[in-house]
Amino acid sequence: MEAALFAANEALPLSRLQKLFEEDQAPTRGELEAALADLERAYADRGVRLVATGGGYQFQTDPETNPWIQRLFHGRSPRLSRAVLETLAIIAYRQPATRAEIEDIRGVSLSSGVLKTLTERGWVRVVGRKEVPGRPSLYGTTPAFLSYFGLESLEDLPPLKEIPEGTADEWLERIGQEELPLSDEPGEEEPTEEAEPGDDE
Amino acid sequence: MTAEEAVARVEGEPFVQLPDDLYIPPEALEVFLESFEGPLDLLLYLIRRHRLDISTISIEAVARQYMDYVELMRQARLDLAGEYLVMAATLAEMKSRALLPRPAPAAEEEEADPRADLIRRLQEYERFKEAAEALDRRPRAERDFHIARAAPSDDGQRPLPEASLSELLEAFRGALQRSRLHEEHHIGSQGLSVRERMSQILALLGDSSTVPGSGSGMTEAWVPGDSGSGAGMTEAGADHGRQSSSLRLEDLLDPSEGREGLAVTFLALLELAKAQLVELYQVAALTPLHIRKS
C-alpha cells in the first residue's frame, strides 16, 4: 500500500486500494484501515506524512519544510486570480452549477480563460446538463480539487457567510461603517496565473 | 485624520486630506480600476467607502460616484465590460425612481424597496467573494505543502513495439476496407424534370403548348406504363399514345420510374392545376381522379 500511495497520481480511496489485490486475496476494509493507521503512525515524524484528503489517502510533505522545498520549484507558486477563486468557490458551494448561475452571482460574464484554467488543473469538470432549453453544461468540483485545497470532503468547506437579516438600510449602514479589510484595497494583486490578458471580458 | 496623525507636511502644514482636485494619471487609474472584478465588486467598494450618514437616497450618492468611475474608465479608454454599463443603467433607473414623486402607498402595504434586488445581488456576491478569499487562505498544494510521489519508472523512453510483416499487411488491409466505407457518392443532375413532365401531360391531353422551361420545344412523347410493368393499367389505359381529353390519375403514375418519377408526376399535376392549365375532378367521393384540360 505504501508503494501504491506513492506511485499514484492522486489521493487513493480505500476502494481503490482494495482493488489492487486479487479478489480472493483482498484484505477487508478493517484490515486496510488498520494498515493505513500503522502507516500514518510510522510517517508521523518524517518529512513526508500520510494525510487523509479528498476522500482518500495521499503522502504530502510536512508544511514546515516548505521554505526549503519551495526552492525545488523555483520560487513561489503563482497566485490564483480572484476570478478563478470566485468561480471555483461558486462551483464548490453551489454545484452542480451552470455558467449562467455563476455569471449571475458574480455580475460578469465567465471568461473562457477562467473555465479553461479550472478544467486544465483538474479541479472542475462537466457533471451533466441541465434539463432546460439550451441544455447548458453543469459544472462540479473533483476529488483533485479537494486534495489540492486540503479538504477531506465537500462538507469540510467552511460555511458560507449568512445573508444578513434586516433592511437594506441597516445593511448599507453596517457596510459603510466596516473597516475596509486590506485585501479590499485595489492594486494589491500580485502577478497571477492567468495565461490570457483581459480575463474578465 | 487629525493634525497629530498627519503623515506628511506640505508647505509646513500637516497634510490630512486629499485635495479635491487631485489628478490621477491615467496609468495609475487603469491599475486601480482594473482590479475590480466587475460592477458588483466596484459597487461594494464604493458602498464601503461611502461612510456617510445613511438616508433613503444614499444609493443616489453611490450611484453618482459609480457613474463618475465609469466615466473615468471610459476616458482612460479601458475596455469596459458590458456589465458595467448595464449596472450604470440600473443605477440610473433607481436614482430616477427615487427622485420622482411617489403616490402615497396604500395604508397596509409596505412599498417594495426598489433597491432590494440590487442589495440582494450585492449580498450574494459578497458571500462568495469572502468564500473565495477563505479558500485562498487555506493551506494548499504547491504553496504550503507538496504532494509526495515516487515518479513512475517509465518516465523515460518507452521501447518501441516491434511489428511483423503480417501485422503490417493486416493493418493495410483493414485500412483499405475502411476506405471503401468512405466512398463518395456523386449526385447527378436530376433525370426527370417537373417542367418536362408538365409538358408531357399537356401533350397527352391534347394541348400542344409546352411549358416554358421544360427544355427543347419538342418533348418526347411520353407513354406512361410503356416499360412493361402493366401494373395499374386499365382498359382506359389502352389509349396509349393517343391523346385523350381526360386522363385518370392512375394512368399517369408509372411505378417503374420509381419514387422519383411518381413524385415528379404528382408535382407536375399540382403545378399545372395551380397554373389553371388542367382541372382535377372526381365524379363522386372515392372515385378515381380525372384530369382534363381547363
Side-chain angles (χ1 to χ4, degrees), chain B residues 65-81:
Chain B
Q65 281 192 53
Y66 181 91
M67 308 295 196
D68 288 344
Y69 275 108
V70 168
E71 183 55 31
L72 280 174
M73 287 198 259
R74 277 190 351 100
Q75 282 174 10
R77 279 188 280 279
L78 287 183
D79 269 334
L80 266 190

Side-chain angles (χ1 to χ4, degrees), chain B residues 19-130:
Chain B
D20 286 329
D21 56 353
L22 181 63
Y23 169 70
I24 304 177
E27 303 81 38
L29 189 58
E30 213 169 307
V31 169
F32 177 83
L33 291 171
E34 274 183 342
S35 59
F36 291 108
E37 286 296 321
L40 289 177
D41 198 15
L42 176 56
L43 266 183
L44 268 179
Y45 175 79
L46 290 175
I47 290 175
R48 283 208 159 98
R49 268 265 183 251
H50 195 56
R51 295 185 202 185
L52 295 183
D53 282 338
I54 299 298
S55 68
T56 50
I57 57 168
S58 65
I59 276 283
E60 193 259 327
V62 169
R64 201 175 346 109
Q65 281 192 53
Y66 181 91
M67 308 295 196
D68 288 344
Y69 275 108
V70 168
E71 183 55 31
L72 280 174
M73 287 198 259
R74 277 190 351 100
Q75 282 174 10
R77 279 188 280 279
L78 287 183
D79 269 334
L80 266 190
E83 291 87 3
Y84 278 101
L85 302 175
V86 171
M87 180 59 76
T90 308
L91 289 172
E93 194 210 7
M94 282 171 46
K95 201 169 114 173
S96 48
R97 269 195 219 211
L99 291 174
L100 287 174
R102 279 191 291 264
E108 300 294 317
E109 314 178 341
E110 279 280 326
E111 211 181 290
D113 190 341
R115 306 166 299 172
D117 188 50
L118 180 58
I119 301 276
R120 188 196 55 79
R121 286 176 68 195
L122 285 169
Q123 288 172 335
E124 184 78 348
Y125 173 67
E126 200 196 15
R127 298 170 93 189
F128 285 100
K129 185 172 136 146
E130 293 193 4

Side-chain angles (χ1 to χ4, degrees), chain A residues 82-96:
Chain A
R82 289 234 317 246
V84 165
L85 283 167
E86 285 174 6
T87 306
L88 187 53
I90 295 173
I91 295 178
Y93 283 93
R94 288 271 185 265
Q95 59 186 296

Side-chain angles (χ1 to χ4, degrees), chain B:
Chain B
M1 223 187 301
T2 66
E4 285 79 28
E5 295 167 352
V7 295
R9 288 183 177 274
V10 178
E11 293 177 339
E13 292 301 311
F15 189 75
V16 297
Q17 192 180 8
L18 283 180
D20 286 329
D21 56 353
L22 181 63
Y23 169 70
I24 304 177
E27 303 81 38
L29 189 58
E30 213 169 307
V31 169
F32 177 83
L33 291 171
E34 274 183 342
S35 59
F36 291 108
E37 286 296 321
L40 289 177
D41 198 15
L42 176 56
L43 266 183
L44 268 179
Y45 175 79
L46 290 175
I47 290 175
R48 283 208 159 98
R49 268 265 183 251
H50 195 56
R51 295 185 202 185
L52 295 183
D53 282 338
I54 299 298
S55 68
T56 50
I57 57 168
S58 65
I59 276 283
E60 193 259 327
V62 169
R64 201 175 346 109
Q65 281 192 53
Y66 181 91
M67 308 295 196
D68 288 344
Y69 275 108
V70 168
E71 183 55 31
L72 280 174
M73 287 198 259
R74 277 190 351 100
Q75 282 174 10
R77 279 188 280 279
L78 287 183
D79 269 334
L80 266 190
E83 291 87 3
Y84 278 101
L85 302 175
V86 171
M87 180 59 76
T90 308
L91 289 172
E93 194 210 7
M94 282 171 46
K95 201 169 114 173
S96 48
R97 269 195 219 211
L99 291 174
L100 287 174
R102 279 191 291 264
E108 300 294 317
E109 314 178 341
E110 279 280 326
E111 211 181 290
D113 190 341
R115 306 166 299 172
D117 188 50
L118 180 58
I119 301 276
R120 188 196 55 79
R121 286 176 68 195
L122 285 169
Q123 288 172 335
E124 184 78 348
Y125 173 67
E126 200 196 15
R127 298 170 93 189
F128 285 100
K129 185 172 136 146
E130 293 193 4
E133 287 162 7
L135 199 56
D136 197 30
R137 282 192 291 267
R138 287 191 68 83
R140 67 168 189 248
E142 290 180 344
R143 184 184 71 183
D144 308 300
F145 61 85
H146 296 269
I147 302 180
R149 210 175 302 155
S153 59
D154 68 2
D155 242 6
Q157 293 208 343
R158 285 210 177 84
L160 299 172
E162 304 204 355
S164 69
L165 182 61
S166 56
E167 286 172 347
L168 208 55
L169 287 174
E170 200 57 46
F172 187 60
R173 195 179 311 151
L176 272 182
Q177 278 179 341
R178 278 192 299 277
S179 75
R180 274 190 219 115
L181 292 173
H182 292 279
E183 267 171 16
E184 287 168 23
H185 293 274
H186 294 279
I187 300 178
S189 58
Q190 185 188 335
L192 300 167
S193 131
V194 174
R195 292 193 168 273
E196 196 176 326
R197 180 55 48 88
M198 284 162 76
S199 294
Q200 288 165 347
I201 293 176
L202 284 176
L204 283 175
L205 287 172
D207 189 337
S208 57
S209 63
T210 55
V211 175
S214 60
S216 66
M218 304 289 289
T219 57
E220 266 181 34
W222 168 62
V223 183
D226 215 15
S227 43
S229 70
M233 284 291 113
T234 65
E235 300 140 24
D239 282 352
H240 279 176
R242 282 198 3 223
Q243 298 170 348
S244 49
S245 55
S246 98
L247 295 169
R248 296 188 336 162
L249 176 64
E250 297 143 2
D251 299 340
L252 284 176
L253 298 176
D254 184 355
S256 72
E257 280 179 339
R259 284 166 58 178
E260 197 182 334
L262 296 176
V264 166
T265 306
F266 194 63
L267 277 173
L269 280 172
L270 290 176
E271 287 288 338
L272 286 171
K274 185 172 108 176
Q276 297 185 334
L277 291 169
V278 301
E279 273 174 4
L280 303 168
Y281 65 98
Q282 260 178 325
V283 170
L286 300 180
T287 58
L289 263 178
H290 288 264
I291 301 122
R292 69 175 169 217
K293 246 176 20 181
S294 5

Side-chain angles (χ1 to χ4, degrees), chain A residues 92-112:
Chain A
Y93 283 93
R94 288 271 185 265
Q95 59 186 296
T98 62
R99 189 190 204 102
E101 286 160 15
I102 298 169
E103 291 178 345
D104 215 33
I105 294 179
R106 293 189 67 224
V108 281
S109 323
L110 180 56
S111 88
S112 53

